């Protein structure tokens, strides 16, 4: 279980579970399919391949560091979510996990919808041809300009996050002579078992309108009265990197309770509920994520059961997985620059990227695994910490892992499960250039987001 999903919950996230990383894996050359993209393997020379291409060739062609994304795997996972939920539910991919125009096209082709949370994400989605009615617009402080663009574009739904926003969106829609379909995001008071910074449904945080104290009911009451709004449902997102379905169960119970109160008070049965995203993935072999069909079955059963008990027609369900679709599909390919053994402690392996391409370890104490990718080795395992090239001791990519003891400068190593929230949260710290995203499929590779250049940096710096 990774630290970002600590079993004791966010308040205890600074304590590692006992027995963590006490021993190296039996075979350091093995690639656990749980953490690697579907088409990853090793060729006859022991070089890691993806989509039929060796990483040594990718490194030569595109340089390192680079995010290498398995397009077939992305499509497989997107399709698995789509199929699992069938025609009676909608899957919105959460663009914040990783968004590019190629990704938008793949989603469109695979029949998924898209959740965006800024003008930039909306622009990316529209420019790649995602039909506006299949876009949901999120965020706790959308600017009036962003709202206007979204309404004008005709987005399928705006998720309202505060009392001010209810009035703001209603006013903008009305002044544009339209009615905007909206959901109201509520916080159901569930403390998800995940890192504090990525838990979102306990009450003491910025998102949504609390169910507690009748505030959510009051928000719905106000929204129903406004001509500019068509209230289609209630939204709840309880957090991220969650394995345990019980949080969703409580959330669904409370959301359905609100739907019932709305029906009783206003005689209106809202037709949709959105249960958000947040399903966990395997970052290390210790994590055991559920398959989309199990999640779909569990969520559908919970909602159906709760609605039957409340004598409500079952609403249309939507979900918003981001990490669970894109997370496992990519790995980051680095070149080793230095190998520094510290006697009695561990060996520090410095790579050519770092916290600028993966801030998750520093920010959430996230755990990752790592493998020697340009060859295999039978050398004894050594305990390593993979660190970046930034001027900061917290610049850690993989905190504790084992790599072969003969690791040397020039070797390529790969960190799996970096598809979500790595490129999308990448920075230019120390004026390090953000790596490209290279998509690989059926023996062909292409850059879908190019590497940043010094020219890019200097273009923003107007002197
Ligand atoms: N829906 C809403 C309303 C969200 O706020 C999020 C994530 C998602 C869906 C997608 O969650 P996912 O299925 O990807 O877990 N940067 C953090 C994660 C922040 C998530 C923010 N909201 C990380 O790297 O773990």
């Amino acid at each position: 279980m990774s630290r970002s999903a600590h079993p004791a919950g966010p308040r205890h996230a600074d304590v590692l579970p006992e027995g963590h990383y006490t021993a190296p894996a039996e075979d350091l050359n093995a690639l656990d399919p749980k953490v690697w993209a579907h088409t990853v393997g090793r060729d006859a020379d022991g070089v890691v391949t993806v989509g039929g291409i060796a990483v040594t060739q990718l490194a030569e062609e595109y340089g390192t560091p680079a995010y290498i994304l398995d397009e077939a795997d992305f499509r497989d996972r997107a399709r698995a979510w789509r199929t699992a939920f069938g025609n009676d539910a909608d899957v919105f991919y959460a663009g914040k996990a990783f968004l590019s125009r190629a990704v938008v096209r793949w989603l469109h082709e695979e029949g998924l919808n898209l959740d965006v949370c800024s003008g930039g994400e909306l622009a990316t989605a529209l420019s790649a041809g995602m039909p506006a009615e299949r876009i949901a617009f999120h965020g706790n402080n959308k600017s009036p300009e962003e709202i206007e663009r979204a309404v004008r574009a005709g987005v399928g739904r705006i998720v309202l996050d505060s009392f001010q926003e209810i009035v703001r969106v209603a006013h903008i829609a009305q002044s544009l002579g339209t009615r905007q379909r909206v959901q109201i995001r509520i916080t159901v008071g569930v403390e998800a078992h995940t890192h504090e910074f990525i838990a979102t449904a306990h009450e003491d945080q910025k998102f949504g309108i609390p169910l507690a104290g009748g505030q959510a009911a009051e928000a719905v009451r106000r929204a129903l009265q406004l001509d500019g709004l068509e209230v289609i449902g209630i939204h709840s997102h309880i957090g991220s990197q969650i394995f345990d379905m019980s949080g969703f169960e409580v959330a669904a119970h409370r959301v359905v309770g609100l739907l019932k109160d709305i029906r009783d008070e206003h005689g209106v049965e809202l037709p949709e509920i959105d249960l958000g995203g947040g399903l966990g993935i395997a970052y290390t072999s210790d994590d055991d994520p559920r398959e989309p069909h199990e999640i779909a079955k569990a969520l559908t059963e919970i909602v159906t059961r709760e609605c039957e008990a409340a004598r409500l027609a079952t609403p249309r369900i939507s979900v918003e997985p981001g990490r669970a679709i894109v997370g496992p599909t990519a790995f980051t390919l680095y070149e080793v620059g230095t190998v520094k053994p510290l006697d009695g402690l561990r060996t520090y392996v410095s790579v050519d990227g770092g916290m600028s391409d993966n801030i998750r370890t520093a920010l959430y104490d996230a755990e990752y695994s790592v493998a020697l990718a340009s060859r295999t080795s039978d050398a004894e395992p050594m305990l390593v910490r993979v660190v970046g090239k930034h001027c900061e001791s917290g610049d850690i990519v993989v905190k504790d892992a084992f790599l072969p003891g003969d690791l040397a400068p020039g070797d390529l190593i790969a960190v799996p499960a970096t598809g979500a929230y790595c490129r999308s949260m990448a920075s230019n710290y120390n004026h390090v250039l953000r790596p490209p995203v290279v998509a690989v499929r059926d023996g062909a590779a292409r850059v879908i987001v190019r590497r940043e250049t010094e020219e890019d940096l200097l273009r923003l710096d107007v002197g």
Side-chain angles (χ1 to χ4, degrees):
M1 175 88 44
S2 42
R3 191 171 183 182
S4 56
H6 193 280
R11 301 264 155 76
H12 309 279
D14 53 339
V15 186
L16 277 176
E18 267 177 39
H20 206 79
Y21 278 122
T22 48
E26 240 165 63
D27 177 7
L28 285 189
N29 300 313
L31 302 167
D32 184 349
K34 262 209 284 188
V35 296
W36 292 90
H38 287 163
T39 72
V40 169
R42 287 193 190 266
D43 66 15
D45 300 325
V47 179
V48 168
T49 63
V50 54
I53 307 184
V55 294
T56 39
Q57 189 187 328
L58 292 169
E60 209 173 288
E61 223 156 292
Y62 303 103
T64 55
Y67 304 102
I68 311 293
L69 194 156
D70 181 344
E71 179 182 340
D73 189 16
F74 184 99
R75 288 177 180 271
D76 283 352
R77 289 178 202 267
R79 208 174 305 132
W81 276 85
R82 180 81 202 85
T83 314
F85 278 87
N87 290 331
D88 298 328
D90 299 301
V91 180
F92 285 77
Y93 168 79
K96 66 205 82 181
F98 171 63
L99 196 64
S100 78
R101 291 196 267 199
V103 161
V104 174
R105 287 188 203 105
W106 302 341
L107 292 166
H108 190 186
E109 286 165 17
E110 301 299 340
L112 274 75
N113 305 324
L114 178 62
D115 140 11
V116 301
C117 65
S118 70
E121 287 187 357
L122 179 63
T124 306
L126 293 173
S127 80
M130 179 59 86
E133 66 272 13
R134 283 173 44 197
I135 299 176
F137 193 28
H138 271 278
N140 67 304
N141 187 20
K142 309 165 190 78
S143 71
E145 293 73 28
E146 286 174 323
I147 295 169
E148 185 173 331
R149 273 168 70 194
V151 175
R152 276 188 195 280
V155 298
R157 65 172 71 154
I158 296 182
V159 181
L160 302 176
D161 199 89
S162 64
F163 281 95
Q164 283 94 355
E165 205 168 73
I166 292 173
V167 179
R168 207 171 278 159
V169 172
H171 176 74
I172 290 172
Q174 207 174 359
S175 65
L176 293 173
T178 180
R179 275 187 105 199
Q180 177 61 47
R181 287 160 56 85
V182 296
Q183 290 190 338
I184 297 180
R185 177 162 176 180
I186 67 165
T187 41
V188 292
V190 172
E191 187 153 346
H193 285 184
T194 188
H195 191 283
E196 185 175 12
F197 290 174
I198 52 177
T200 56
H202 54 297
E203 272 138 16
D204 187 3
Q205 46 86 29
K206 70 172 184 168
F207 291 109
I209 300 177
L211 191 61
Q215 292 186 69
E218 174 62 14
V220 175
R221 191 180 68 75
R222 291 194 200 173
L224 284 171
Q225 287 169 351
L226 294 169
D227 287 341
L229 304 182
E230 179 188 347
V231 184
I232 58 165
I234 301 296
H235 183 285
S236 158
H237 171 75
I238 59 172
S240 272
Q241 185 59 2
I242 298 168
F243 294 101
D244 179 1
M245 296 304 282
S246 61
F248 289 98
E249 185 148 10
V250 179
H253 173 74
R254 296 190 181 160
V255 170
V256 171
L258 178 61
L259 291 184
K260 180 172 176 291
D261 293 347
I262 296 165
R263 192 260 328 265
D264 294 346
E265 192 186 336
H266 305 285
V268 179
E269 287 201 22
L270 297 182
E272 295 188 15
I273 69 174
D274 189 313
L275 293 172
L279 285 314
I281 62 163
Y283 284 102
T284 75
S285 297
D286 292 340
D287 294 324
D288 283 308
R290 295 193 180 204
E291 293 296 320
H293 67 267
E294 296 174 281
I295 295 162
K297 186 165 178 286
L299 291 181
T300 312
E301 276 174 12
I302 295 167
V303 174
T304 308
R305 193 182 61 227
E306 294 293 330
C307 288
E308 272 169 13
R311 294 183 197 289
L312 283 166
T314 306
R316 191 173 176 85
I317 301 174
S318 46
V319 287
E320 300 170 339
R323 183 189 328 257
I325 292 178
V326 71
T329 68
F331 59 83
T332 315
L333 189 62
Y334 299 103
E335 185 177 310
V336 173
T338 68
V339 178
K340 188 187 287 183
L342 297 185
D343 284 347
L345 292 169
R346 69 182 88 242
T347 297
Y348 277 79
V349 175
S350 294
V351 294
D352 45 0
M355 66 195 301
S356 54
D357 59 70
N358 187 349
I359 191 66
R360 297 193 69 260
T361 309
L363 196 55
Y364 313 119
D365 263 330
E367 282 175 6
Y368 283 92
S369 25
V370 59
L372 174 56
S374 45
R375 61 187 174 93
T376 51
S377 163
D378 294 326
E380 285 299 305
M382 63 174 173
L383 178 64
V384 299
R385 179 161 285 176
V386 179
V387 296
K389 59 182 285 163
H390 295 276
C391 298
E392 188 152 324
S393 53
D395 171 25
I396 298 169
V397 180
V398 185
K399 203 161 35 159
D400 293 300
F402 289 90
L403 282 170
D406 62 352
L407 190 79
D411 279 332
L412 297 177
I413 61 174
V415 174
T418 57
Y421 304 107
C422 286
R423 179 57 179 80
S424 65
M425 293 173 78
S427 77
N428 285 124
Y429 184 37
N430 297 142
H431 283 203
V432 168
L433 305 167
R434 285 178 294 179
V437 182
V438 179
V440 181
R441 187 186 182 189
D442 296 336
R446 69 185 170 113
V447 173
I448 59 170
V449 179
R450 73 162 166 79
R451 186 183 300 283
E452 217 162 18
T453 62
E454 285 178 3
E455 212 172 53
D456 291 327
L457 285 185
L458 293 174
R459 199 176 299 140
L460 296 179
D461 179 341
V462 293

